[in-house]
Amino acid sequence: MAVRAVRGAVQLDRDEAGHMDERVGELLTAVLERNELVADDLISIWFTATPDLHSDFPAAAARGLGIVDVPLICAQELDIDGAMPRVVRILVHVETYLARPEISHVYLGATATLRKDIAQ
């Protein structure tokens, strides 16, 4: 078993807590499913949000999914001119038997353009 990192992102349509919870929950669920992971495989999750998102903490979505005993942290992305707006990114550290090339990084919707090299 190895420690691996899984990347992902999702763009929100609007800055509302319920919408953030829904979209981030969708992203986390996709990461778990595509990599055949369960909550016990999670080591930690780092969430970032663009500066235009301030209605809630993205980590609240993880707690809503029952991920309650995993360290979570939220931070703000750099405010770069021309950057895609309303984006939540994740960096999930996991224990898995998957080799590095087998990891499925999840970029939902328009965010697939952010990392064409690893988006699947």
Side-chain angles (χ1 to χ4, degrees), residues 48-94:
T48 65
T50 51
D52 52 1
L53 294 175
H54 46 79
S55 62
D56 201 3
F57 294 100
R63 301 293 185 221
L65 291 175
I67 300 171
V68 296
D69 61 350
V70 174
L72 310 175
I73 192 165
C74 297
Q76 189 176 78
E77 280 287 332
L78 296 172
D79 191 8
I80 304 297
D81 289 337
M84 185 179 289
R86 302 177 315 280
V87 174
V88 173
R89 292 172 175 84
I90 60 173
L91 177 63
V92 184
H93 297 98
V94 302

Side-chain angles (χ1 to χ4, degrees), residues 13-62:
D13 298 324
R14 58 195 175 279
D15 183 25
E16 294 176 1
H19 181 61
M20 179 181 292
D21 198 50
E22 176 184 320
R23 297 292 285 152
V24 174
E26 179 184 351
L27 175 61
L28 289 170
T29 299
V31 164
L32 293 173
E33 289 175 356
R34 293 184 194 181
N35 291 287
E36 300 178 8
L37 299 167
V38 296
D40 282 346
D41 298 325
L42 302 175
I43 296 170
S44 65
I45 306 174
W46 186 294
F47 298 84
T48 65
T50 51
D52 52 1
L53 294 175
H54 46 79
S55 62
D56 201 3
F57 294 100

